[in-house]
Amino acid sequence: MIANEGDTVMKENTAQLLTLIQKSQIKDLSLADSIELRRLSAEFANVCGEIVEKKMDQFYKK
């Protein structure tokens, strides 16, 4: 996967995550939407965790 493709996928996933969060505030989600919300939120948490780990590594190497 090329970096630009990864960025595009991440942006699409983030937009979908936000849409599902907003939808959940208005009405009950279907089981499929709930599962997708869980999957996307876990993926987002993993990406955030990787970013934090990289920053901490940079901090401690200085």
Side-chain angles (χ1 to χ4, degrees):
M1 183 181 300
I2 304 171
N4 289 341
E5 289 177 5
D7 291 345
T8 301
V9 170
M10 187 61 185
K11 286 178 185 177
E12 290 171 359
N13 286 350
T14 302
Q16 187 178 5
L17 176 62
L18 292 173
T19 298
L20 287 170
I21 290 169
Q22 291 169 343
K23 187 176 176 182
S24 73
Q25 293 173 338
I26 298 169
K27 64 179 187 171
D28 286 340
L29 295 177
S30 67
L31 177 58
D33 282 346
S34 297
I35 292 168
E36 185 65 2
L37 176 60
R38 177 65 182 106
R39 184 189 72 77
L40 290 168
S41 64
E43 186 176 317
F44 187 75
N46 288 338
V47 169
C48 291
E50 289 173 12
I51 292 169
V52 170
E53 285 178 20
K54 287 178 186 176
K55 291 296 178 182
M56 289 178 70
D57 287 347
Q58 289 173 358
F59 177 78
Y60 287 114
K61 286 181 181 178
K62 289 183 180 181

